[in-house]
Amino acid sequence: QTVVTQEPSLTVSPGGTVTLTCASSTGAVTSGYYPNWIQQKPGQAPRALISNASNKHSWTPARFSGSLLGGKAALTLSGVQPEDEADYYCLVYYGGAWVFGGGTKLTVL
Amino acid sequence: QVQLQQSGPGLVKPSQTLSLTCAISGDSVSSNSATWNWIRQSPSRGLEWLGRTHYRSKWYNDYAESVKSRIIVKPDTSKNQFSLHLDSVTPEDTAMYYCARESTGAYSDWGQGALVTVSS
């Protein structure tokens, strides 16, 4: 069974920079896995921020960026705002099926 | 702008079938570039992709191994919607269920979510 692993929790100060990562049990995450980054705030439906590793949606704030880094998918927040406190999930494609990571709870403190 | 509107019962008895519908506006369920997905979320299982349907000259379905034996995702072209049917439910299937559109690797559109409780 394929497992996608994320940091369970991270804390960042307002205005700071933080990088969340997404690793696959099958090996390196590449663009062929079409990694998505999904944000979810309490009581809300998930909302996609990044697709295909680094593509932003029209609603994605400029401070969010996605990349492939050292065999993992990565989501970097630069100039973190209090409203960025949320759960972040990566979603990875394995040829016919998608698998979510366990999510990272980001605290802005 | 694609919108997805979910509907279906919020309470299902154990051993029965959970059925939800996702109505599409702004795109077609028969689109050659989109896939139509069901995802659920529970405290114990987190976010879990369940399955999808899509049309590429013919209809295709893919399902997660965890539910493969009891799930059907079905398009309805006459109503431009797609549905989820999950058989033989147990309390473990209690979750928030979401439909979502994926196109060229991007999950851009999500339904509002529907809480389904499995209980007698």
Side-chain angles (χ1 to χ4, degrees), chain B residues 12-32:
Chain B
V12 181
K13 289 182 168 30
S15 80
Q16 294 192 342
T17 298
L18 180 160
S19 294
L20 295 171
T21 298
C22 184
I24 304 162
S25 56
D27 198 355
S28 170
V29 71
S30 304
S31 164
N32 273 299

Side-chain angles (χ1 to χ4, degrees), chain A residues 29-35 52-53 68 92-95 98:
Chain A
V29 177
T30 66
S31 58
Y33 290 81
Y34 304 99
N52 293 289
L68 296 173
V92 182
Y93 183 64
Y94 291 91
W98 291 84

Side-chain angles (χ1 to χ4, degrees), chain B residues 15-90:
Chain B
S15 80
Q16 294 192 342
T17 298
L18 180 160
S19 294
L20 295 171
T21 298
C22 184
I24 304 162
S25 56
D27 198 355
S28 170
V29 71
S30 304
S31 164
N32 273 299
S33 61
T35 69
W36 306 98
N37 299 264
W38 285 101
I39 290 155
R40 70 181 177 184
Q41 185 174 30
S42 65
S44 59
R45 302 172 75 99
L47 280 167
E48 181 182 15
W49 179 86
L50 298 176
R52 67 180 183 176
T53 190
H54 58 287
Y55 185 78
R56 302 290 186 268
S57 302
K58 68 174 187 176
W59 288 102
Y60 293 89
N61 295 296
D62 297 294
Y63 301 125
E65 284 296 327
S66 61
V67 293
K68 198 168 191 172
S69 63
R70 57 191 185 100
I71 186 175
I72 295 173
V73 178
K74 199 160 49 171
D76 183 341
T77 56
S78 66
K79 296 181 179 177
N80 200 32
Q81 63 187 31
F82 62 108
S83 60
L84 166 70
H85 303 278
L86 189 64
D87 292 334
S88 306
V89 296
T90 72

Side-chain angles (χ1 to χ4, degrees), chain A residues 19-20 35 37 50 53-54 65-69 72-76:
Chain A
T19 296
L20 289 64
W37 286 97
I50 300 286
S54 60
S65 62
S67 63
L68 296 173
L69 201 63
K72 299 179 183 181
L75 176 69
T76 299

Side-chain angles (χ1 to χ4, degrees), chain A residues 2-6 38 46 89-92 94 98-103, chain B residues 38-40 46-50 107 110:
Chain A
T2 303
V3 177
V4 176
T5 302
Q6 300 179 240
I38 311 290
Y89 297 89
C90 66
L91 176 56
V92 182
Y94 291 91
W98 291 84
V99 178
F100 281 92
Chain B
W38 285 101
I39 290 155
R40 70 181 177 184
L47 280 167
E48 181 182 15
W49 179 86
L50 298 176
Y107 272 78
W110 294 67

